[in-house]
Each structure stands twice: as C-alpha cells, then as structure tokens.
Amino acid sequence: MEQKLRGHAHKYGKNVDTDVIIPGKYCNLIDPVELGKHALEGLDPQFTAKVKAGDIIVADTNFGCGSSREVAPIAIKGSGASAVVAKSFARIFYRNALNIGLPIFECPEAVDAIENGDEIEVEPATGVVRNVTKGTIFEAAALPPFMQALIEAGGLVPYVERRLGGM
Amino acid sequence: MTLTEKILARHAGVDRVSPGEIINAKVDLVLANELSAAVAIGVMRSIKGGGRVFDHSKIALVEDHLVPARDAQSAKLAKLMKDFAAEQQIEHFFDVGRGGIEHVVLPEEGLVAPGEVIVGGDSHTCTYGALGAFATGMGSTDIAAAFLLGEVWLKVPATIKLVYDGALGHLVYAKDVMLATVGALGIDGATYRALEYHGSTIDALSITGRMTMANMAIEAGAKNGIFHADAKALAYVRSKTERDFIVERADADAVYERVLRIDVAALEPQIACPHTPDNVHPVSQVTREEILVDQVFIGSCTNGYIEDLRVAAKILEGKKIASNLRVIVNPGSQKVWMQAAQEGILTTLAAAGCAVNTPGCGACFGGHMGTLADGERCLSTTNRNYVGRMGSPKAEVYLGSPATCAASALTGRITDPRVLELAGV
Ligand code: SF4
C-alpha cells in the first residue's frame, strides 16, 4: 500500500462494538456496498449520509469488540471509509481487518489530538498519522513482522495461495 | 508453560512457546455457521488451488443463526452451506432439526476433546475451553484459510489466572460468577489474553456451568478461556467419543501475567445492565428501583443447556408468567429439547405461558424469533447486551441467570430469585 489515505475524521468513543458497526439483522448480506449502506447504523444513523470516500474513522479504545462477524470491517470498507485509527482494537476485529485489507492503526496520541471533522492523512507503509487541520504528526505502533508480511503479500488470501502452491 | 501455551506448543510442533510469539498451529476442528460459512466459502472459492477442504472429517458446519430461515436471503445462506457440505462431503453437517446452537452441539456430539485446538467462525467458539481445549473465534477469511490449510496463524496469548474459592450460595450460578468476572475484568480487560480458570468453586461446577463460564471469556475480550480437564470433564468426553486425545496441564512454574482471586461465598445473583456486559451489579442493587420487563429470553450458547431449563422450569412450575411480558425459550440443541420434553419441562414452561421455540440462536442476536421494538426492555440469559443486540437500538437488554430470568418472568420486573422464594410466590 503505497498511497496515502486522506479524508475527514469521524470520531467516536470507546468500545464501538460489532453490533453497532453492523447490526445482526444485516449479517445475512454479503455484498460490501450493501453492507456499507448500514455501516455504524446502531451508533450513528447519519454516518452513511456523511461519510465521503477516503474518510477516516477515529475511535477510542477497544474498537470492534463483540462478535466475530467479518462483515463489520467489510461494512466499514464498503461505506467508503479508508481506514480506522483507534487507541486499541478488539482482537478478532484486528485480525479480520488485516485479512480483508482494511488499514487500521493503533495510535492513542493521535486519537486524543483529532477532533471530529479534522482532515487526516495516514501513510500505511510508515504508520504516520498527520492531522492536516491542526498541523500535528503522530506515529502509530508498527505491525509485528508476520503481519507486515501478510499485508505485503496482499492479505491472507495470497498467503494461503502461496502455501497451497507449496512455497 | 500455562495450559494454553502447552496446547499451542504441541500443535505448532515446538517444545516451547511464549506470549507474543506468532506461530502456525495445526487445528483439530474448524467450525462455521451459515453466516460465517457464507463469507468463508466465497473466500475459499476465490483462492487459487482452493478446491477442497483439508480434511472433511475435521470440519463442523452448523445451521443455527437464522434458521428455520427468516427470509429468502437467509434461506440462501443456509442452502449455500448445505450445498457446500454435500459437495465437500463434510461429515459433521447439522441442519435445523438435527443440531441446534453450534456451541451446544459440538461438545454434545463428541467433537470437542481436551488438548485440542479448535477454531470457529463465531466469537463464542471459546466455549469449548470448558473441556480443556484451546478454542477461539475468528473471522471468515481466517476460517477459509483454516478450511484449506488445516492450520492457523496465532499470536500466543499471555494468560490471566482466575482463582475462585467458596461455595455458591442458594440460587447463585456459574452465570453469576462469570458476570461478576466480566464486571471485574472489564470488556477489554483480557483482550489478546487467555483466561485460565482455577479453584474449588470451579472444581465443584458441572460441565455445563463451565461452558457458561468459558463462553463469556470473549465478553472480557479474551482470546480463549480454559479449564483443566478433571475426572468430571473426562467422564463427559468419554461418554461422547472414543477417539484419542492428549490431556495437558499447566506447569507448576507457569508464568501468568496476572492472578485474579474471586471469593464467591458472598456472591449474590448478578445482573449486567445496559449497554455493556461489564456493567455488572448485584441484583439487590439493581432491584432498588422497579425495572419492568417486556420480554424474558431463556436460551443461547451461554444458558441454553438442560440444567438451565430445569432451573427455570422449577421456578415456573404450576405458575403463570406476569401479564405485562412475554417469555421466549430456545433450548440450545435438539438433544436438549428432547431431554426437556422427556422430563416434562417443555410442558411446564408452555403451561406457565412461555413461547417455546425450536433450538437455535433465536432472539439472542436480534436475528428473529423475539426481536425487540423501540423502547422495549429484555432480561436475557444470553452473553451480550450491546446497543441493538436483540433488535432495536432503542431497546434495552439486561443479562442474568436462568433463575433470575424465571423469577422476573413471574413478577414482570427484574427480581432477585432468592427474595421471590422467601416470599413464597
Ligand atoms: S446463541 Fe447467541 S451468542 Fe451463541 S452462537 Fe448463537 S447468536 Fe452467538
């Protein structure tokens, strides 16, 4: 992922759970765009009307707690949001996001310094988070080497293909 | 090494593992339900060379979340998984009427044994830790990879040791102990960690009580929750399967990140108030104000076991539920349903005014069969009460034990089952 991700921040609190990211009644949907139409519906019914392509979700601790539904990061991706910056992520959400290629960044200092609506730029390769509106720069925690390799391979699918190919 | 580390080391083919290390572990069973399978099957089909699952005898597929199908789209997902099971000759496929909730079904069918590694496309896969297995939930892409490779990458979790002492009071159950634990840890208090349960209270618990406790490890954010398989657990597993397994024990010098001691002797029934499962208070505190209830739900992979239905039926026997509410009961599995039928429990519940549904997840996740309206309040034996969990985001969900739920069903408001018993109602 070479390019920078840039958009406005949609800021939320802690423990944003998968039931509000994509309510259970929509979990029988598969299409990312359809899912995206209901992203964060349980938390902020206006989100899908406000979000523009590239926008960045900013949240406090434990983002994505609750169920294992992979449709949660898929719905966020489908909504047009380009990344999530949070103080911390719940475990399964973290895995799912990496596996499906939704860039996520753990950066408590950046979260504290970002206000709703600020323009944000993130560099996936370096983890640098820039608050363009306020002119401040932060660095997100680096991914462990295995996960960097996973992302470099393009996610879990190409990784499995390589393994099946006997490499 | 801790119990979790021992199991993971063996499945990674190494002598030792330490917390934080990333390993590739062989899996003994991969689980999915019709929702997680639908996405996993799509991912699997998109993978070059991904035509066949690694072992058709080591995959379990359970139709439980939206069956009997709620609508055409849900029916499509159920059919997708059924067709996949046929195509791949999956040995352990459970259609509606032959299974129930995945986490109730797998132990019942002997598909879980101590020392095994089980991954599932459902966060409550951690339930199987009750039998001494390492079991954890994952998303569908991970499950697709596990279908094909028979192994998963895992970050070895640090372990939190939970030590419980004291005998449970009258009308206090494993559910209350676990709610108190989640309250003490917080919903992210064990994120990326393993929970290892110890102590005299645990030794005295039934297998299903342990399942209730392992089930809710995820509610503290944990990767897994695990018990040592004792004689009781081994007898349970041996009654279900003849296959070989290796029982592991934590080493005497195992390193724990933290030890939490919980004395349960004085523990009251507990209630998780809206809207997080760690918002836990003793029932005596919650009942200081009158909290009227529109729906009581008894069921789920937390409390849909025969013991739970027995507790509820004992309280409701010969009585009528309050006129202001409805009570919905989903036995956890077809076997639980049949056992309950034989014991007359289903008739007792129906006679009291409960709607007894077919086994499955039912109202637990707001999918169908008991979805809440705006402004409604539900007291439930399930494991989560996030906003919108059981339907409308403007509804409220409280969590409690089957005894607390049954007692509250009689009065129409959240009620301490001990107070109700003293009152002779
Ligand atoms: S009963 Fe509820 S928590 Fe358990 S698997 Fe079904 S939806 Fe999930």
Side-chain angles (χ1 to χ4, degrees):
Chain A
M1 255 185 269
E2 284 300 308
Q3 92 281 25
K4 294 174 182 168
L5 310 168
R6 189 167 176 146
H8 291 275
H10 298 263
K11 192 167 177 184
Y12 300 101
K14 55 183 176 180
N15 303 321
V16 173
D17 61 83
T18 54
D19 282 304
V20 297
I21 295 173
I22 187 78
K25 64 182 163 189
Y26 302 122
C27 286
N28 62 359
L29 298 173
I30 298 180
D31 181 55
V33 176
E34 282 304 310
L35 284 162
K37 288 181 187 162
H38 303 286
L40 291 177
E41 190 171 290
L43 177 67
D44 177 4
Q46 305 309 317
F47 173 76
T48 50
K50 290 185 297 196
V51 66
K52 300 218 171 51
D55 280 0
I56 291 169
I57 294 172
V58 177
D60 210 289
T61 52
N62 202 27
F63 187 88
C65 61
S67 83
S68 68
R69 56 186 72 155
E70 192 164 297
V71 286
I74 295 176
I76 290 177
K77 217 176 159 192
S79 76
S82 66
V84 185
V85 177
K87 289 191 180 173
S88 64
F89 291 89
R91 189 189 67 78
I92 304 179
F93 185 91
Y94 185 88
R95 272 188 96 101
N96 286 345
L98 293 182
N99 286 342
I100 66 139
L102 172 70
I104 54 174
F105 305 90
E106 266 181 10
C107 193
E109 302 79 22
V111 171
D112 283 334
I114 293 171
E115 279 180 80
N116 197 29
D118 283 357
E119 191 171 10
I120 307 299
E121 189 179 83
V122 188
E123 276 180 31
T126 57
V128 168
V129 179
R130 188 169 294 133
N131 187 335
V132 181
T133 305
K134 300 213 162 61
T136 45
I137 293 184
F138 305 91
E139 220 168 300
L143 291 173
F146 176 85
M147 291 171 203
Q148 273 179 27
L150 205 63
I151 288 191
E152 272 159 34
L156 194 63
V157 166
Y159 169 82
V160 174
E161 281 173 352
R162 278 217 310 249
R163 290 284 308 275
L164 288 172
M167 286 162 67
Chain B
M1 287 187 287
T2 68
L3 180 51
T4 294
E5 289 158 10
K6 287 276 269 282
I7 296 173
L8 291 182
R10 182 158 54 78
H11 284 77
V14 296
D15 292 336
R16 281 200 81 77
V17 295
S18 330
E21 198 179 317
I22 290 176
I23 56 163
N24 268 312
K26 293 235 174 305
V27 297
D28 298 294
L29 189 74
V30 188
L31 158 77
N33 58 56
E34 78 272 23
L35 300 188
S36 55
V39 181
I41 292 165
V43 173
M44 187 178 141
R45 298 214 195 280
S46 77
I47 291 177
K48 274 196 259 32
R52 304 292 306 174
V53 298
F54 82 107
D55 183 341
H56 64 110
S57 69
K58 292 189 174 170
I59 288 170
L61 301 176
V62 188
E63 310 264 14
D64 62 359
H65 272 62
L66 284 170
V67 290
R70 176 187 74 187
D71 52 21
Q73 173 66 14
S74 309
K76 186 171 139 190
L77 300 192
K79 180 172 185 307
L80 191 93
M81 187 166 84
K82 185 180 176 191
D83 292 347
F84 176 79
E87 170 205 304
Q88 300 279 334
Q89 297 167 300
I90 301 296
E91 266 177 37
H92 309 293
F93 168 69
F94 300 92
D95 207 339
V96 64
R98 271 160 274 176
I101 305 169
E102 49 199 315
H103 311 307
V104 181
V105 171
L106 265 49
E108 256 177 7
E109 297 294 328
L111 295 173
V112 177
E116 295 187 332
V117 169
I118 300 174
V119 297
D122 189 275
S123 61
H124 291 102
T125 302
C126 54
T127 309
Y128 318 131
L131 295 172
F134 171 88
T136 191
M138 294 184 170
S140 295
T141 300
D142 275 314
I143 293 304
F147 276 172
L148 291 168
L149 300 176
E151 56 177 64
V152 291
W153 68 267
L154 291 167
K155 190 158 134 188
V156 178
T159 300
I160 298 174
K161 183 175 183 177
L162 301 170
V163 186
Y164 299 89
D165 275 306
L168 291 179
H170 182 52
L171 293 168
V172 181
Y173 298 90
K175 177 64 166 287
D176 301 304
V177 177
M178 197 55 198
L179 284 173
T181 307
V182 173
L185 287 167
I187 50 171
D188 59 353
T191 301
Y192 302 107
R193 309 290 190 280
L195 299 181
E196 198 177 284
Y197 302 87
H198 290 259
S200 59
T201 317
I202 300 313
D203 298 340
L205 273 186
S206 67
I207 296 303
T208 50
R210 295 176 196 183
M211 287 183 191
T212 301
M213 292 192 65
N215 176 270
M216 288 188 71
I218 179 71
E219 265 56 68
K223 182 172 220 149
N224 68 311
I226 194 163
F227 290 72
H228 280 93
D230 60 3
K232 216 185 280 182
L234 293 177
Y236 175 94
V237 175
R238 274 283 157 253
S239 73
K240 313 280 181 193
T241 180
E242 285 172 1
R243 75 169 187 285
D244 291 332
F245 52 84
I246 299 172
V247 180
E248 305 277 9
R249 297 205 63 78
D251 295 324
D253 62 352
V255 178
Y256 295 94
E257 187 188 71
R258 201 179 143 192
V259 180
L260 186 64
R261 294 186 181 276
I262 299 179
D263 189 347
V264 304
L267 190 79
E268 293 186 26
Q270 304 283 306
I271 302 278
C273 298
H275 290 286
T276 52
D278 65 348
N279 186 14
V280 175
H281 304 277
V283 69
S284 61
Q285 198 182 318
V286 175
T287 51
R288 268 185 218 147
E289 18 170 342
E290 177 173 83
I291 303 176
L292 293 172
V293 173
D294 302 286
Q295 173 168 308
V296 162
F297 179 62
I298 299 174
S300 85
C301 53
T302 317
N303 283 122
Y305 302 95
I306 187 68
E307 269 175 42
D308 300 315
L309 299 186
R310 284 183 189 136
V311 167
K314 193 157 173 240
I315 293 172
L316 294 173
E317 182 151 34
K319 311 211 171 84
K320 293 278 182 217
I321 62 168
S323 56
N324 63 310
L325 51 57
R326 57 185 180 271
V327 178
I328 294 174
V329 182
N330 276 60
S333 71
Q334 197 75 4
K335 286 195 172 148
V336 169
W337 192 101
M338 287 194 292
Q339 178 73 27
Q342 271 165 19
E343 294 182 19
I345 288 171
L346 300 184
T347 316
T348 300
L349 295 174
C354 304
V356 182
N357 275 333
T358 198
C361 299
C364 172
F365 79 117
H368 62 162
M369 296 199 275
T371 314
L372 301 177
D374 286 2
E376 282 197 315
R377 193 178 284 140
C378 179
L379 175 64
S380 176
T381 66
T382 52
N383 42 44
R384 316 198 147 120
N385 58 349
Y386 294 119
V387 171
R389 173 68 180 178
M390 296 182 78
S392 164
K394 295 193 181 109
E396 286 184 348
V397 180
Y398 289 73
L399 307 176
S401 75
T404 306
C405 285
S408 305
L410 290 176
T411 59
R413 56 183 194 278
I414 295 182
T415 298
D416 183 341
R418 301 166 308 169
V419 171
L420 192 78
E421 192 179 81
L422 280 178
V425 175

mmCIF file of all heavy atoms in Angstrom, chain A residues 117-133:
data_model
loop_
_atom_site.group_PDB
_atom_site.id
_atom_site.type_symbol
_atom_site.label_atom_id
_atom_site.label_comp_id
_atom_site.label_asym_id
_atom_site.label_seq_id
_atom_site.Cartn_x
_atom_site.Cartn_y
_atom_site.Cartn_z
ATOM 1 N N GLY A 117 -14.203 15.826 12.307
ATOM 2 C CA GLY A 117 -14.185 16.713 11.140
ATOM 3 C C GLY A 117 -12.801 17.136 10.704
ATOM 4 O O GLY A 117 -12.636 17.653 9.597
ATOM 5 N N ASP A 118 -11.773 16.957 11.540
ATOM 6 C CA ASP A 118 -10.405 17.309 11.134
ATOM 7 C C ASP A 118 -10.017 16.538 9.876
ATOM 8 O O ASP A 118 -10.457 15.399 9.670
ATOM 9 C CB ASP A 118 -9.394 16.935 12.239
ATOM 10 C CG ASP A 118 -9.410 17.942 13.391
ATOM 11 O OD1 ASP A 118 -10.149 18.937 13.303
ATOM 12 O OD2 ASP A 118 -8.696 17.690 14.385
ATOM 13 N N GLU A 119 -9.166 17.151 9.075
ATOM 14 C CA GLU A 119 -8.671 16.434 7.906
ATOM 15 C C GLU A 119 -7.432 15.634 8.311
ATOM 16 O O GLU A 119 -6.507 16.162 8.937
ATOM 17 C CB GLU A 119 -8.329 17.412 6.777
ATOM 18 C CG GLU A 119 -8.084 16.662 5.485
ATOM 19 C CD GLU A 119 -7.955 17.580 4.287
ATOM 20 O OE1 GLU A 119 -7.874 18.804 4.464
ATOM 21 O OE2 GLU A 119 -7.928 17.044 3.161
ATOM 22 N N ILE A 120 -7.439 14.344 7.955
ATOM 23 C CA ILE A 120 -6.405 13.424 8.428
ATOM 24 C C ILE A 120 -5.748 12.753 7.238
ATOM 25 O O ILE A 120 -6.409 12.424 6.251
ATOM 26 C CB ILE A 120 -7.041 12.310 9.297
ATOM 27 C CG1 ILE A 120 -7.896 12.891 10.414
ATOM 28 C CG2 ILE A 120 -5.985 11.365 9.854
ATOM 29 C CD1 ILE A 120 -7.134 13.755 11.387
ATOM 30 N N GLU A 121 -4.445 12.515 7.365
ATOM 31 C CA GLU A 121 -3.751 11.760 6.333
ATOM 32 C C GLU A 121 -2.947 10.655 7.005
ATOM 33 O O GLU A 121 -2.288 10.897 8.018
ATOM 34 C CB GLU A 121 -2.814 12.707 5.579
ATOM 35 C CG GLU A 121 -2.204 12.087 4.348
ATOM 36 C CD GLU A 121 -1.305 13.106 3.663
ATOM 37 O OE1 GLU A 121 -0.147 13.226 4.100
ATOM 38 O OE2 GLU A 121 -1.770 13.781 2.737
ATOM 39 N N VAL A 122 -3.038 9.456 6.471
ATOM 40 C CA VAL A 122 -2.323 8.322 7.053
ATOM 41 C C VAL A 122 -1.464 7.665 5.982
ATOM 42 O O VAL A 122 -1.908 7.487 4.855
ATOM 43 C CB VAL A 122 -3.309 7.262 7.622
ATOM 44 C CG1 VAL A 122 -2.552 6.203 8.397
ATOM 45 C CG2 VAL A 122 -4.342 7.915 8.521
ATOM 46 N N GLU A 123 -0.232 7.312 6.354
ATOM 47 C CA GLU A 123 0.653 6.586 5.430
ATOM 48 C C GLU A 123 0.750 5.148 5.905
ATOM 49 O O GLU A 123 1.453 4.867 6.876
ATOM 50 C CB GLU A 123 2.062 7.179 5.478
ATOM 51 C CG GLU A 123 2.262 8.386 4.592
ATOM 52 C CD GLU A 123 3.691 8.898 4.728
ATOM 53 O OE1 GLU A 123 4.617 8.084 4.971
ATOM 54 O OE2 GLU A 123 3.873 10.105 4.620
ATOM 55 N N PRO A 124 0.079 4.215 5.229
ATOM 56 C CA PRO A 124 0.093 2.829 5.715
ATOM 57 C C PRO A 124 1.499 2.261 5.848
ATOM 58 O O PRO A 124 1.783 1.507 6.777
ATOM 59 C CB PRO A 124 -0.713 2.084 4.649
ATOM 60 C CG PRO A 124 -1.603 3.117 4.064
ATOM 61 C CD PRO A 124 -0.810 4.391 4.082
ATOM 62 N N ALA A 125 2.377 2.612 4.935
ATOM 63 C CA ALA A 125 3.708 1.999 4.960
ATOM 64 C C ALA A 125 4.487 2.359 6.218
ATOM 65 O O ALA A 125 5.262 1.551 6.730
ATOM 66 C CB ALA A 125 4.478 2.416 3.713
ATOM 67 N N THR A 126 4.301 3.561 6.715
ATOM 68 C CA THR A 126 5.103 4.007 7.861
ATOM 69 C C THR A 126 4.293 4.122 9.140
ATOM 70 O O THR A 126 4.847 4.208 10.233
ATOM 71 C CB THR A 126 5.683 5.401 7.580
ATOM 72 O OG1 THR A 126 4.573 6.282 7.308
ATOM 73 C CG2 THR A 126 6.615 5.387 6.383
ATOM 74 N N GLY A 127 2.961 4.128 9.021
ATOM 75 C CA GLY A 127 2.130 4.326 10.207
ATOM 76 C C GLY A 127 2.069 5.780 10.645
ATOM 77 O O GLY A 127 1.585 6.081 11.739
ATOM 78 N N VAL A 128 2.540 6.684 9.796
ATOM 79 C CA VAL A 128 2.491 8.102 10.172
ATOM 80 C C VAL A 128 1.071 8.638 10.002
ATOM 81 O O VAL A 128 0.447 8.454 8.958
ATOM 82 C CB VAL A 128 3.483 8.930 9.321
ATOM 83 C CG1 VAL A 128 3.230 10.435 9.497
ATOM 84 C CG2 VAL A 128 4.909 8.585 9.699
ATOM 85 N N VAL A 129 0.563 9.257 11.063
ATOM 86 C CA VAL A 129 -0.778 9.832 11.047
ATOM 87 C C VAL A 129 -0.618 11.350 11.154
ATOM 88 O O VAL A 129 -0.026 11.851 12.108
ATOM 89 C CB VAL A 129 -1.613 9.323 12.245
ATOM 90 C CG1 VAL A 129 -3.019 9.948 12.235
ATOM 91 C CG2 VAL A 129 -1.714 7.798 12.240
ATOM 92 N N ARG A 130 -1.141 12.073 10.153
ATOM 93 C CA ARG A 130 -0.968 13.526 10.150
ATOM 94 C C ARG A 130 -2.328 14.194 10.309
ATOM 95 O O ARG A 130 -3.272 13.863 9.589
ATOM 96 C CB ARG A 130 -0.324 13.930 8.815
ATOM 97 C CG ARG A 130 0.093 15.376 8.725
ATOM 98 C CD ARG A 130 0.959 15.610 7.491
ATOM 99 N NE ARG A 130 2.227 14.899 7.608
ATOM 100 C CZ ARG A 130 2.765 14.151 6.662
ATOM 101 N NH1 ARG A 130 2.172 13.994 5.514
ATOM 102 N NH2 ARG A 130 3.909 13.527 6.847
ATOM 103 N N ASN A 131 -2.422 15.098 11.264
ATOM 104 C CA ASN A 131 -3.631 15.896 11.392
ATOM 105 C C ASN A 131 -3.393 17.168 10.569
ATOM 106 O O ASN A 131 -2.730 18.095 11.021
ATOM 107 C CB ASN A 131 -3.904 16.229 12.867
ATOM 108 C CG ASN A 131 -5.251 16.918 13.047
ATOM 109 O OD1 ASN A 131 -5.746 17.546 12.117
ATOM 110 N ND2 ASN A 131 -5.822 16.791 14.231
ATOM 111 N N VAL A 132 -3.935 17.156 9.341
ATOM 112 C CA VAL A 132 -3.672 18.255 8.401
ATOM 113 C C VAL A 132 -4.272 19.552 8.930
ATOM 114 O O VAL A 132 -3.657 20.618 8.849
ATOM 115 C CB VAL A 132 -4.244 17.905 7.004
ATOM 116 C CG1 VAL A 132 -3.967 19.021 6.001
ATOM 117 C CG2 VAL A 132 -3.666 16.576 6.516
ATOM 118 N N THR A 133 -5.460 19.457 9.510
ATOM 119 C CA THR A 133 -6.143 20.645 10.015
ATOM 120 C C THR A 133 -5.314 21.334 11.098
ATOM 121 O O THR A 133 -5.185 22.548 11.129
ATOM 122 C CB THR A 133 -7.518 20.243 10.599
ATOM 123 O OG1 THR A 133 -8.233 19.542 9.583
ATOM 124 C CG2 THR A 133 -8.310 21.453 11.042
#
